[in-house]
C-alpha cells in the first residue's frame, strides 16, 4: 500500500512557505468546519524537480498531471471568460450616467477543476478550485473560417500558456508579462465565481460583503481590488461609492514579507497594455485616496508620494502592497515581530493613517499532516498517554509535561526518533549514496535556498567544526550529521552557488580520515512535501538562523518543533513564539535582536572587521576562497565570499 501511495506526486503548486501555509489553512478550515473555498491556478507544470550533478542544481520540469489526477473534477458548467488587452470607451447611458466599456480584448476561457479537501474526522469536505486557461471556441472559429489555421492554433497556445507553469521564484518577483496575466486571470475567475455564487441566492450584489470575504494571500492577487470595482461598477452598474465600500469590506490582505525585492510593482506601460481598464480604476482609487491623505496630513507631500498607488520615482509603476492596503478592511502580518515591523516599516504610513485595520495572525501548520500522518510512532505514543484530542486541539500536548521526566516515556520517545532517523537515512542513501549514522545528531536545515535564510552561515559553522577536529583529531566530539535540503530559484546564481558550496564541503568533510565519520554533511536533492514528511520527524536539531527581521514567520520551524526537535535559532519570525511555548531551555538562541541589528547598521556595519578579528571565521572564509572546497578552483566561490565581505 505504501508503494501505491508513493506513486502519487506532490501537487507542487507553490514555491515554499507561502503556498504550503495556504494548504495548511485548507486542512484546518475543513477540520474546523468553516465554509471556505480555496482558489488557485491549475498549473500544468508545478515546482521543478531538483537534481544534483557534480554538486550543482539542475532543474527538471514537473509534469505532475501527465498521468491524470484522479482527485480532480472538471466543472465546465462554471467556466468563466477573462479579458486581456484592448481599450476602454467612456460614454453616457440612457439615463445620462457616465459608464465605461472594455473593448477589443483578447478573451481566454477559464475552466475550474475542483479538488476535495476533507476535514479530519468529520463530515466536512471543502473545495480547492483551480483554474485552467484555454482558448475560446469563438476565437478559434473566427480565425479558422478566415482560413488562418495556424493563427487559430497560436491563439489557443497563448491562452493555454497562462496556466502552463508556476514561476519558481520564492519571495521575489520579476515583472514578467505572463506573471501579471496569471495574477489577473486568477483573480478575475475567482471574483466572477464568487459573484455567481452570491447571485444564486441574492437578486443583486448589495450585500456581497456580508456573504463573502476574499483573503489576499500576499500581493499576488492584489489586483482583486481593481477587478472587483470593475465587476461591480462596469458589469453590474453599481455606483462608485457603494462599490468601493463593498470592495473594502470584502478584501483582507496578509503581508508575507518585508524584503524590498519581494514587494511587487508593475511597470505602467505593461499594466496599461494588459489591463487598460484596471489602470484607469487604479488612478481613480488613487485620486480619491490621496485626497484623504492630504486632508489628514496637510502639506506632507513626501507622505503623499510614499502612499501613492503609483511610484513616480524613476520608471513609473503600480505598487501592489499599497493597492492591497487601501482596498482592504484588514491587514495582517504572519508573526508577532513581523506584524510590528509591518506597522513600523513597510506599511508605516498606512498604519499611521488607519491603525484599526492592522492585526497579527501568527502562522500555524496542520498537526494532522505534520505529526499524525508523518510521525505515526510519536502519534501513537502521545495518544496512548493523553488521548487523541491533540490532533484537533494542539494545546492538549501540554498534558505530556506530566510524563516528561518518566524514564520509560523518554526511552520510548528516543527509540521512535531513532526509527524515524533510520527512515531518513534510507532516503539519504537512495538519493545521495551517503551513509549516515542514526546515532549521530541529525542537525537539519531545509527550506528554499536564499541568502537571507543564511544556509551559508551554517556552512561556515560546519567548516569551523571541521577545522577544530583537524587541529585536535583526538578531541571528544559528539557525532553530528548536517542535512540540507531546498531549491534555489533557477535564475538566482548566488543561491545556486550556496548549493555547490554545501556539496563541496560535504565532499571534503565526508571523506577525511581524521574526521572518521564524526561529522557528515548531506545535501538531500529535491526537498518537497513528501520528503519533508520524512525529514521533520527525524530531526534532533532544527536550524532557523535568518537574521532577526528577515523571515516573516517561517513554518518549517513549527513542523520540526512539533516533532520534538530542538531549535537552533535567532529571534526572528515565529521562532519567538515557538521559544515562548517550548521554553528557553529547549531553544539554542543566538544572534542579534532586531534592535541590535538596527543599532549596528546605524553605526555602520563593516563585515571586514569581523573577518579581521575572528580567526576561526577568517580561516573558514579563506579556505572557501582558496579552493579547499572546490578542488583548487579559486574563482568559483568568489561571488559568495565577496557578498559576505562587501555587502551589507
Ligand atoms: C513567506 C515568508 C515566510 C512565511 C511564509 C508564510 C513569501 C512572500 N513569504 O517566512 O518568507 O512563513 O511566507 O507566511 O513567500
Amino acid at each position: 500500500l505504501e508503494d501505491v501511495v508513493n506513486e502519487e506526486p506532490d501537487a507542487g503548486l507553490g514555491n515554499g512557505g507561502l503556498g504550503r501555509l495556504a494548504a495548511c489553512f485548507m486542512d484546518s478550515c475543513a477540520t474546523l468546519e468553516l465554509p471556505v473555498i480555496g482558489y488557485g491556478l491549475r498549473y500544468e507544470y508545478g515546482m521543478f524537480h531538483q537534481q544534483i550533478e557534480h554538486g550543482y542544481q539542475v532543474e527538471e520540469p514537473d509534469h505532475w498531471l501527465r498521468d491524470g489526477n484522479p482527485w480532480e473534477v472538471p466543472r465546465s458548467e462554471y467556466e468563466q471568460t477573462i479579458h486581456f488587452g484592448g481599450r476602454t470607451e467612456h460614454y453616457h447611458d440612457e439615463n445620462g450616467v457616465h459608464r465605461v466599456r472594455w473593448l477589443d480584448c483578447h478573451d481566454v476561457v477559464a475552466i475550474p477543476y475542483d479538488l476535495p479537501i476533507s476535514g479530519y474526522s468529520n463530515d466536512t469536505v471543502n473545495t480547492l478550485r483551480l483554474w485552467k486557461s484555454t482558448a475560446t471556441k469563438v476565437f478559434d472559429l473566427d480565425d479558422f473560417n478566415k482560413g488562418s489555421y495556424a493563427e487559430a492554433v497560436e491563439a489557443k497556445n497563448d491562452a493555454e500558456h497562462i496556466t502552463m507553469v508556476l514561476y519558481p521564484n520564492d519571495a521575489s518577483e520579476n515583472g514578467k508579462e505572463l506573471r501579471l496575466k496569471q495574477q489577473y486571470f486568477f483573480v478575475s475567475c475567482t471574483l466572477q465565481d464568487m459573484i455567481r455564487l452570491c447571485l444564486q441566492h441574492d437578486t443583486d450584489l448589495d450585500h456581497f460583503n456580508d456573504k463573502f470575504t476574499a483573503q489576499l494571500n500576499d500581493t499576488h492577487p492584489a489586483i482583486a481590488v481593481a477587478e472587483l470595482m470593475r465587476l461591480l461598477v462596469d458589469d453590474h452598474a453599481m455606483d462608485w461609492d457603494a462599490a468601493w465600500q463593498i470592495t473594502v469590506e470584502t478584501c483582507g490582505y496578509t503581508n508575507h514579507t518585508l524584503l524590498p525585492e519581494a514587494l511587487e510593482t508593475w511597470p505602467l506601460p505593461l499594466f496599461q497594455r494588459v489591463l487598460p481598464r484596471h489602470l484607469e480604476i487604479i488612478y481613480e482609487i488613487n485620486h480619491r485616496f490621496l485626497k484623504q491623505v492630504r486632508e489628514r496630513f496637510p502639506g506632507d507631500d513626501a507622505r503623499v508620494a510614499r502612499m501613492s498607488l503609483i511610484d513616480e520615482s524613476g520608471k513609473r509603476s503600480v505598487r501592489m502592497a499599497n493597492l492591497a492596503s487601501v482596498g482592504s478592511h484588514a491587514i495582517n502580518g504572519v508573526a508577532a515581530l513581523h506584524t510590528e515591523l509591518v506597522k513600523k516599516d513597510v506599511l508605516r504610513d498606512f498604519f499611521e493613517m488607519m491603525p484599526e485595520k492592522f492585526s497579527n495572525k501568527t502562522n500555524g501548520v496542520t498537526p494532522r499532516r505534520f505529526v499524525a500522518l508523518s510521525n505515526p510512532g510519536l502519534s501513537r505514543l502521545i495518544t496512548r498517554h493523553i488521548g487523541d484530542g491533540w490532533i484537533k486541539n494542539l494545546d492538549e500536548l501540554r498534558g505530556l509535561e506530566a510524563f516528561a521526566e518518566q524514564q520509560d516515556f523518554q526511552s520510548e520517545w528516543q527509540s521512535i526518533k531513532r526509527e524515524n532517523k533510520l527512515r531518513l537515512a534510507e532516503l539519504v542513501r537512495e538519493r545521495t549514496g551517503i551513509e549516515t549514522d542514526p546515532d549521530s545528531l541529525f542537525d537539519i536545515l531545509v527550506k528554499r535556498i536564499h541568502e537571507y535564510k543564511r544556509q551559508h552561515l551554517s556552512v561556515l559553522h560546519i567548516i569551523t567544526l571541521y577545522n577544530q577536529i583537524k587541529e585536535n583529531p583526538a578531541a571528544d566530539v559528539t557525532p553530528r550529521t548536517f542535512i540540507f535540503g531546498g531549491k534555489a530559484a533557477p535564475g538566482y546564481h548566488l543561491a545556486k552557488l550556496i548549493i555547490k558550496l554545501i556539496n563541496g564541503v560535504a565532499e571534503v568533510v565526508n571523506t577525511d580520515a581524521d574526521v572518521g565519520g564524526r561529522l557528515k554533511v548531506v545535501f538531500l536533492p529535491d526537498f518537497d512535501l513528501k520528503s519533508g514528511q520524512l525529514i521533520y520527524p527525524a530531526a534532533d536539531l532544527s536550524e532557523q538562523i535568518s537574521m532577526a527581521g528577515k523571515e516573516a514567520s517561517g513554518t518549517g520551524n513549527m513542523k520540526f518543533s512539533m516533532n520534538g526537535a530542538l531549535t537552533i535559532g535567532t529571534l526572528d519570525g515565529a521562532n519567538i513564539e515557538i521559544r515562548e511555548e517550548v521554553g528557553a531551555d529547549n531553544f539554542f538562541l543566538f544572534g542579534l535582536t532586531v534592535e541590535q541589528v538596527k543599532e549596528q547598521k546605524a553605526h555602520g556595519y563593516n563585515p571586514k572587521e569581523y573577518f579581521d578579528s575572528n580567526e576561526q571565521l577568517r580561516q573558514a572564509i579563506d579556505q572557501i576562497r582558496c579552493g579547499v572546497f572546490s578542488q583548487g578552483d579559486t574563482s568559483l566561490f568568489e561571488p559568495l565570499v565577496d557578498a559576505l565581505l562587501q555587502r551589507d
Side-chain angles (χ1 to χ4, degrees), residues 15-22 25 169-173 217-220 254-259 262 333-335 338 361 363 452-453 550-558 573-574:
N15 269 296
L18 182 124
R20 181 58 238 179
L21 178 75
F25 267 110
N169 304 320
D170 186 65
S172 88
E173 291 308 327
N217 197 22
D218 215 75
T219 57
H220 317 142
T254 303
N255 173 287
H256 290 269
T257 184
L258 301 168
L259 300 185
V334 291
H338 170 64
K361 300 284 175 287
N363 283 167
Y452 89 80
K453 295 177 186 284
K550 291 287 183 190
E551 189 70 88
S553 164
T555 43
N557 48 3
M558 303 169 189

Side-chain angles (χ1 to χ4, degrees), residues 574-588:
N575 291 356
I576 296 176
E577 282 102 317
I578 290 175
R579 184 163 170 265
E580 275 160 19
E581 289 298 316
V582 303
D585 50 345
N586 291 312
F587 194 109
F588 298 98

Side-chain angles (χ1 to χ4, degrees), residues 562-581:
M562 56 172 68
N563 281 284
L566 302 185
T567 305
I568 301 175
T570 50
L571 287 176
D572 198 17
N575 291 356
I576 296 176
E577 282 102 317
I578 290 175
R579 184 163 170 265
E580 275 160 19
E581 289 298 316

